[in-house]
């Protein structure tokens, strides 16, 4: 995000159509790669779209840690005189692996897959998915999110009331 | 803040900031231990071998649907030690609100001020200021003996007259009051 947009609170706004298109791209990726999970997320740690075995995994924590992973290794990249952050991060486990690839400067895809799936397959298919999402992102406009549409006064009142109830019930 | 129009979710990022060993992680640990497990995630802690926060702690709170919409709160702590300043800068990115946890002990006077200046510097680097961001102060460790008075802490640290809370995070005193305060301020300001 460039500084002017950040200052004005502007960010990419995904329409329902664009959400559906990303869902389609991730589903296609999962079908062809046999990976278990794919999360399209922003580098602030927010998941945008996730597909696959999402019910069995803690998506929010995974995304927050993956964003942190990018951030930490960006400093490593800096120290070895690489101008930007690393574009791909790969973690190999005993049975499962994760592959992170950046999508432009603000987003990334986190992929979880079985070790028996060849990394090369994941890399090639992830590359196609990234290209497709980048094309889509270029058509979207940056605008101030209309939070007031989402959070009216009644919503705000109920929210604080609900938080109070949760705290009292502890 | 992130709005997911498809799932009708809104996610807020709240950062617990402050000097090392001030009680930021203790706040999150208390919230995690005393809130209904249905309302919160697992507490993720990235710690060094000697139990100091290395990168961040992360806890998600979710209080169900309201008018069909689901608010979520992502609570992060930052590592307070001076040499982890890059980690702080990164975790602070996209913050919607801040709880600044002060160590009330007289001996930590300089560290408190340095951490607050560090926060302001990092916000300015992100084109933000403390004057425009919702934030609260938590004066922690009020149970210890050699502590500064609240009036003295207010004079030194609360130059923007933000809400402040006295706390003993290790016993849970003031922890939920602080959380409630910052959430209230946040939803008023967005």
């Amino acid at each position: 995000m460039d500084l002017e947009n950040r200052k004005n609170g502007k960010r990419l706004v995904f329409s329902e159509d664009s959400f559906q298109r990303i869902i389609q791209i991730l589903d296609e990726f999962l079908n062809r790669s046999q990976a278990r999970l794919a999360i399209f997320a922003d580098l602030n740690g927010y998941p945008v779209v996730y597909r696959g075995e999402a019910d069995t995994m803690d998506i929010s924590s995974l995304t927050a840690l993956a964003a942190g992973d990018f951030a930490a290794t960006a400093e490593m990249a800096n120290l070895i005189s690489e101008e930007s952050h690393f574009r791909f991060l790969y973690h190999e486990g005993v049975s499962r692996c994760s592959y992170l690839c950046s999508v432009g400067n603000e987003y990334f895809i986190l992929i979880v897959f079985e070790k028996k799936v060849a990394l090369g397959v994941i890399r090639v298919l992830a590359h196609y998915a990234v290209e497709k999402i980048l094309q889509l992102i270029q058509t979207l406009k940056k605008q101030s999110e209309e939070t007031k549409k989402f959070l009216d006064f009644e919503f705000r009142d109920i929210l604080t009331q609900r938080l109070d109830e949760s705290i009292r019930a502890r | 803040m992130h709005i997911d129009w498809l799932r009708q979710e809104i996610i807020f990022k709240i950062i617990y900031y402050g000097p090392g060993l001030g009680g930021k992680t203790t706040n999150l640990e208390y919230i995690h231990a005393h809130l209904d497990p249905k309302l919160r995630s697992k507490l993720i802690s990235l710690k060094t071998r000697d139990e100091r926060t290395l990168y961040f702690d992360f806890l998600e709170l979710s209080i169900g649907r309201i008018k069909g919409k689901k608010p979520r709160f992502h609570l992060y702590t930052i590592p307070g030690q001076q040499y982890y300043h890059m980690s702080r800068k990164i975790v602070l990115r996209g913050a919607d609100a801040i709880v600044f946890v002060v160590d009330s002990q007289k001996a930590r006077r300089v560290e408190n001020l340095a951490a607050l200046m560090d926060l302001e510097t990092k916000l300015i680097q992100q084109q933000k200021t403390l004057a425009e961001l919702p934030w609260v102060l938590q004066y922690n460790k009020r149970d210890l003996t050699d502590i500064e008075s609240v009036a003295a802490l207010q004079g030194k640290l609360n130059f923007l007259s933000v809400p402040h809370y006295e706390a003993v995070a290790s016993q849970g005193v003031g922890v939920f009051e602080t959380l409630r305060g910052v959430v209230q301020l946040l939803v008023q300001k967005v």
Side-chain angles (χ1 to χ4, degrees):
Chain A
M1 189 182 292
D2 61 72
L3 289 179
E4 196 51 38
N5 280 329
R6 195 180 299 163
K7 202 172 179 181
N8 297 334
K10 286 185 176 177
R11 46 191 295 153
L12 281 186
V13 174
F14 292 93
S15 62
E16 187 160 350
D17 283 353
S18 53
F19 264 117
Q20 294 300 348
R21 179 71 189 119
I22 297 172
I23 287 174
Q24 206 180 14
I25 294 167
L26 295 187
D27 282 349
E28 199 179 297
F29 166 79
L30 290 172
N31 277 335
R32 293 180 68 187
S33 66
Q34 300 299 306
R36 296 291 183 184
L37 174 75
I39 305 174
F40 172 64
D42 85 3
L43 282 167
N44 289 333
Y46 298 125
V48 180
V49 173
Y50 44 90
R51 305 294 290 169
E53 287 180 7
D55 292 344
T56 56
M57 296 195 211
D58 179 350
I59 301 296
S60 295
S61 303
L62 253 179
T63 309
L65 288 168
D69 199 358
F70 263 115
T73 49
E75 296 312 318
M76 279 173 62
N78 243 331
L79 292 171
I80 61 165
S81 304
E82 176 73 24
E83 274 183 21
S84 181
H85 58 270
F86 291 120
R87 289 182 301 152
F88 312 108
L89 305 172
Y90 171 57
H91 303 291
E92 186 176 299
V94 176
S95 59
R96 286 196 163 184
C97 309
S98 72
Y99 183 69
L100 301 162
C101 44
S102 63
V103 181
N105 291 322
E106 293 170 43
Y107 297 92
F108 66 93
I109 300 178
L110 161 65
I111 298 157
V112 177
F113 60 101
E114 301 290 329
K115 200 180 169 189
K116 63 186 179 196
V117 178
L119 175 62
V121 172
I122 298 291
R123 284 192 66 141
V124 171
L125 294 173
H127 176 74
Y128 283 126
V130 168
E131 289 296 311
K132 284 178 193 168
I133 292 176
L134 274 175
Q135 274 174 21
L136 176 76
I137 283 176
Q138 277 161 12
T139 66
L140 301 175
K141 284 184 183 160
K142 279 194 167 148
Q143 42 184 277
S144 301
E145 279 197 302
E146 295 177 62
T147 44
K148 290 202 167 40
K149 267 191 196 168
F150 203 92
L151 299 171
D152 58 23
F153 283 113
E154 198 188 346
F155 182 93
R156 289 162 207 241
D157 284 348
I158 301 172
L159 176 65
T160 43
Q161 193 187 327
R162 191 76 69 79
L163 186 72
D164 279 348
E165 287 164 11
S166 313
I167 290 170
R168 271 200 300 271
R170 73 187 193 267
Chain B
M1 176 175 46
H2 173 72
I3 297 181
D4 182 338
W5 293 95
L6 200 66
R7 287 190 199 85
Q8 290 286 296
E9 289 182 354
I10 184 161
I11 310 176
F12 299 101
K13 186 171 181 177
I14 300 174
I15 313 288
Y16 282 68
Y17 212 96
L21 296 173
K24 301 175 292 295
T25 300
T26 311
N27 265 270
L28 256 61
E29 283 172 344
Y30 191 86
I31 294 167
H32 177 259
H34 291 85
L35 210 60
D36 183 344
K38 289 199 286 285
L39 305 176
R40 48 100 177 137
S41 69
K42 202 170 95 179
L43 176 64
I44 304 278
S45 272
L46 305 183
K47 288 180 176 173
T48 58
R49 262 193 230 167
D50 53 351
E51 292 293 296
R52 306 286 298 272
T53 304
L54 171 65
Y55 200 67
F56 59 76
D57 305 302
F58 172 80
L59 179 67
E60 183 185 61
L61 306 184
S62 176
I63 51 173
R65 288 205 179 266
I66 297 173
K67 295 174 78 184
K69 293 160 183 159
K70 193 171 189 176
R72 292 174 186 270
F73 298 94
H74 285 183
L75 310 184
Y76 287 83
T77 67
I78 50 94
Q81 300 90 304
Q82 281 207 326
Y83 43 89
Y84 290 134
H85 72 101
M86 272 336 275
S87 302
R88 284 197 291 280
K89 184 177 167 184
I90 290 156
V91 177
L92 196 60
R93 220 167 88 151
D96 296 307
I98 288 161
V99 173
F100 189 87
V101 181
V102 175
D103 187 332
S104 297
Q105 295 178 91
K106 284 180 181 162
R108 302 302 307 282
R109 215 177 269 167
V110 176
E111 284 87 348
N112 288 324
L113 204 55
L116 192 56
M117 285 168 70
D118 175 67
L119 169 63
E120 189 153 37
T121 307
K122 289 191 168 42
L123 286 174
I124 289 168
Q125 286 166 357
Q126 298 180 17
Q127 310 288 305
K128 290 177 181 170
T129 67
L130 274 174
E132 62 196 35
L133 201 73
W135 68 290
V136 301
L137 279 156
Q138 183 190 72
Y139 299 134
N140 193 23
K141 306 195 182 180
R142 299 308 298 167
D143 58 328
L144 300 184
T145 45
D146 198 20
I147 56 173
E148 296 217 62
S149 69
V150 170
L153 291 168
Q154 283 281 87
K156 285 185 191 109
L157 304 169
N158 201 357
F159 47 90
L160 287 170
S161 300
V162 297
H164 66 280
Y165 303 89
E166 293 184 50
V168 183
S170 56
Q171 296 166 29
V173 177
V175 170
F176 280 106
E177 288 76 3
T178 307
L179 176 64
R180 184 188 186 279
V182 75
V183 167
Q184 215 163 20
L185 204 59
L186 171 60
V187 295
Q188 276 167 14
K189 285 209 177 182
V190 289

